[in-house]
Amino acid sequence: MAVLRRTARRVQGVDDPLDAVQERRVRAVLALGGVPQTDLPDGVQQVRLRLLERAAKGDEAPRDVSAWAAVVASNLAMDWHRAKRRQERLGERLAGLRQPAHDSGEESSVLSLAVARGMDELPDAQRQVLVLRFYADLPVRDIAEELGIPEGTVKSRLHSAVRALRVRLHEDEVV
């Protein structure tokens, strides 16, 4: 397990595959991917677990652990959204009503809420590349490599996602 990171911390007698900087990045990707604060520690643990499982299977450590962890965190955020949507649909069917969201009066809160809603409406693939590019600050090349897709596909998804968000923000008259 020491192969994963020479600077890994020791946690409960086991090498921690995420250093403090990587853990903060994973938390940021999860949070910006829409995972609530209360679920962030579980998300970080899931990333840790996947790194440890990879090492236990004898797989080679990722070339860039930080980028790999950000992609895994992004995938976890997408999974969280899918599960949330399933629960919401079930709740809607049972209750027949949906509770309205409460908007804040401050401009920055309105903008943040509009962006979050716009991101929720994006297809998973577009949301994923948007979070990895602009929130995890990964270059297009790294995103393409980590997701196993061509760079042109990443660029296309980014362009579509940004355009869709821009349209949404103008429709909501936020910008």
Side-chain angles (χ1 to χ4, degrees):
M1 287 181 232
V3 173
L4 289 176
R5 291 287 289 177
R6 292 183 193 271
T7 59
R9 297 176 292 172
R10 300 277 298 167
V11 177
Q12 297 177 0
V14 178
D15 285 335
D16 186 351
L18 294 178
D19 63 27
V21 172
Q22 292 164 335
E23 183 175 331
R24 281 193 303 275
R25 188 177 200 184
V26 166
R27 281 180 173 278
V29 169
L30 290 168
L32 292 166
V35 176
Q37 289 286 5
T38 56
D39 293 340
L40 293 181
D42 290 337
V44 172
Q45 288 300 82
Q46 283 292 323
V47 173
R48 249 188 210 103
L49 178 63
R50 292 192 185 172
L51 272 167
L52 292 171
E53 286 172 341
R54 186 178 176 126
K57 287 191 298 185
D59 292 346
E60 188 175 315
R63 185 176 53 100
D64 182 350
V65 174
S66 187
W68 183 90
V71 170
V72 170
S74 175
N75 288 335
L76 289 171
M78 285 194 321
D79 292 344
W80 184 88
H81 277 285
R82 286 185 195 115
K84 180 182 170 198
R85 280 191 214 125
R86 280 191 300 272
Q87 289 174 345
E88 285 175 355
R89 285 193 301 266
L90 179 60
E92 287 173 5
R93 279 186 255 146
L94 294 174
L97 299 172
R98 190 169 190 179
Q99 295 180 346
H102 299 288
D103 293 340
S104 171
E106 298 178 18
E107 273 187 47
S108 63
S109 295
V110 171
L111 179 59
S112 296
L113 184 60
V115 170
R117 285 182 179 164
M119 287 182 68
D120 282 344
E121 293 175 2
L122 292 175
D124 290 338
Q126 288 180 4
R127 184 181 327 103
Q128 182 180 36
V129 296
L130 192 73
V131 168
L132 290 173
R133 177 66 189 105
F134 296 111
Y135 294 108
D137 201 30
L138 291 178
V140 170
R141 174 176 284 147
D142 289 353
I143 296 169
E145 186 176 304
E146 291 296 329
L147 296 178
I149 59 177
E151 286 183 43
T153 302
V154 172
K155 291 176 184 178
S156 173
R157 289 178 184 174
L158 279 170
H159 176 77
S160 298
V162 169
R163 184 179 57 219
L165 274 177
R166 187 175 293 130
V167 167
R168 170 63 192 245
L169 294 176
H170 284 291
E171 285 175 357
D172 290 349
E173 297 180 358
V174 177
V175 290

